[in-house]
């Protein structure tokens, strides 16, 4: 009875069944003095072994994404250059824009000192007026637009579609087309209700609110439709009224769109010039846009250094508001409304 023998590595069968010379020749240990020993070569390296040269895929990906970085840098330079130029003009002692062609050639704070300490041009009073008008307009726009959007989204009543169509048609015509009619209307109202007429900040707020309902209502209406009505029905079964549903359930779910509408309304009213100049006539009631115009409205007496200093300071509230509300703007909108 023969005992089966285990083949050694040198005797492993080759592809043809023979005990194999190729494997033995490649794996045999080198012997001293033997000239025909076969050494391992790079032909036996695994195909996935790392090499020193970068992979072609990585080079192709870098080539495809390189132009995007260049475009982003060009866009940043294009957007930041006016701001840098205005900052340089506000810190320049020449008081003109032509003297700011060499950026930050001379740096001084005289323009900011003159801006804040000029009794004939009360910048801080203008700033307070702009904040009052803008904040009041933003809050009123959000409340009016949200109430109208909720009514159109949740209730079914006669002339609902015609009302939506009317808002769509009205928002096609800009408010500036009616500035003559606005002036005559406020002039007539000032004889009966002076606090809502000409030269009144509340009158200016009323003008802004009158033209803010159309577009904002449509913007909120589409967002309110994304909130499922099952939430309303479940709350009604629990005994909640429409007011409770609106204030405690719907509005917290639509916070992102409320923030967007409020921020857009704030920026629009904060930077408006034409309507504010028509309504406001007393220098102590000017907004920033109207007040800053006084620095460059006199021929041969333009003070662009003080003007740019005021513009730089006026941009701080808008930037701060955007940074503070950014987490609401980029949030997931309706994400989490129907979880669980």
């Amino acid at each position: 009875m023969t005992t089966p023998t285990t083949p050694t590595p040198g005797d492993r069968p080759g592809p043809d069944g023979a005990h194999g010379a190729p494997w033995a020749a490649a794996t045999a240990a080198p012997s001293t003095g033997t000239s025909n020993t076969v050494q391992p070569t790079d032909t036996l390296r695994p195909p996935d072994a790392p090499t020193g040269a970068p992979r072609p895929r990585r080079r192709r990906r870098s080539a495809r994404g390189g132009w995007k970085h260049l475009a982003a840098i060009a866009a940043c330079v294009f957007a930041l250059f006016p701001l840098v130029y205005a900052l340089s003009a506000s810190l320049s002692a020449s008081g003109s824009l032509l003297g700011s062609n060499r950026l930050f050639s001379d740096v001084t704070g005289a323009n900011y000192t003159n801006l804040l300490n000029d009794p004939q041009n009360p910048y801080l009073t203008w700033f307070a007026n702009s904040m009052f008008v803008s904040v009041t307009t933003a809050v009123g726009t959000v409340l009016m637009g949200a109430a109208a959007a909720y009514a159109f989204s949740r209730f079914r009543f006669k002339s609902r579609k015609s009302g939506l169509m009317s808002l769509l048609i009205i928002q096609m015509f800009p408010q500036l087309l009616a500035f003559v009619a606005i002036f005559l209307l406020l002039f007539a109202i000032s004889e009966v209700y002076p606090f809502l007429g000409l030269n009144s900040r509340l009158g200016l707020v009323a003008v802004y609110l009158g033209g803010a309902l159309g577009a904002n209502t449509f913007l909120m209406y589409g967002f309110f439709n994304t909130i499922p009505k099952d939430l309303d029905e479940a709350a009604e079964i629990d005994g909640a009224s429409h007011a409770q549903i609106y204030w405690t359930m719907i509005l917290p779910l639509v916070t992102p769109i409320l923030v967007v509408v409020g921020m857009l309304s704030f920026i629009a009213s904060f930077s408006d010039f034409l309507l504010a100049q028509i309504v406001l006539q007393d220098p102590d009631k000017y907004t920033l846009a109207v007040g800053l115009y006084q620095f460059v409205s006199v021929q041969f007496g333009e003070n662009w250094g003080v003007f740019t200093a005021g513009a730089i300071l006026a941009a701080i509230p808008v930037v701060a508001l955007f940074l503070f509300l950014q987490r609401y703007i980029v949030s997931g909108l309706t994400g989490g409304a129907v979880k669980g």
Side-chain angles (χ1 to χ4, degrees), residues 45-53 55:
R45 183 187 300 274
D48 57 346
T51 58
R55 296 182 178 180

Side-chain angles (χ1 to χ4, degrees), residues 6-272:
T6 303
T8 61
D11 295 335
R12 291 183 182 178
D16 54 354
H19 289 280
W23 179 271
T27 58
S31 57
T32 305
T34 306
S35 61
N36 58 352
T37 302
V38 179
Q39 300 291 341
T41 61
D42 290 340
T43 57
L44 299 178
R45 183 187 300 274
D48 57 346
T51 58
R55 296 182 178 180
R57 182 182 302 176
R58 186 177 304 173
R59 290 197 299 266
R60 289 196 301 267
R61 185 166 57 250
S62 301
R64 287 196 304 266
W67 67 270
K68 297 179 182 178
H69 295 84
L70 296 178
I73 293 174
C76 291
V77 172
F78 181 80
L80 293 177
F81 179 76
L83 301 179
V84 175
Y85 189 84
L87 181 61
S88 175
S90 68
L91 296 175
S92 176
S94 63
S96 64
L97 294 180
L98 296 178
S100 301
N101 289 338
R102 298 176 59 186
L103 298 179
F104 304 102
S105 57
D106 55 339
V107 177
T108 179
N111 291 326
Y112 292 91
T113 303
N114 296 334
L115 176 70
L116 299 176
N117 298 324
D118 189 356
Q120 296 182 353
N121 298 301
Y123 180 83
L124 296 179
T125 302
W126 299 341
F127 188 89
N129 293 337
S130 292
M131 292 298 296
F132 172 80
V133 172
S134 301
V135 172
T136 307
T137 302
V139 174
T141 300
V142 170
L143 294 178
M144 292 174 55
Y150 178 77
F152 282 115
S153 175
R154 288 299 192 265
F155 302 144
R156 296 297 179 265
F157 50 89
K158 187 178 179 180
S159 303
R160 172 177 169 272
K161 292 185 178 180
S162 59
L164 287 173
M165 186 60 63
S166 300
L167 288 176
L168 180 62
I169 295 175
I170 291 174
Q171 73 175 356
M172 294 181 181
F173 299 93
Q175 195 177 20
L176 297 179
L177 294 178
F179 68 89
V180 176
I182 291 174
F183 176 82
L184 296 177
L185 181 62
L186 292 178
F187 180 78
I189 293 177
S190 61
E191 297 180 356
V192 182
Y193 302 104
F195 64 93
L196 284 178
L198 290 176
N199 199 28
S200 170
R201 294 178 298 178
L202 289 179
L204 181 61
V205 171
V207 172
Y208 288 149
L209 293 179
L213 191 61
N216 294 321
T217 299
F218 252 89
L219 185 62
M220 292 185 178
Y221 170 73
F223 196 90
F224 271 85
N225 287 337
T226 62
I227 305 299
K229 294 183 180 180
D230 298 341
L231 298 176
D232 302 33
E233 296 174 357
E236 290 178 0
I237 294 175
D238 293 337
S241 63
H242 288 294
Q244 291 174 332
I245 295 173
Y246 175 74
W247 290 106
T248 62
M249 293 184 57
I250 302 300
L251 288 187
L253 293 177
V254 297
T255 299
I257 195 63
L258 300 181
V259 169
V260 171
V261 170
M263 187 184 66
L264 294 179
S265 177
F266 179 90
I267 295 175
S269 57
F270 192 84
S271 59
D272 178 69

Side-chain angles (χ1 to χ4, degrees), residues 309-321:
I312 293 296
L313 293 180
I316 294 177
V318 178
V319 175
L321 179 66

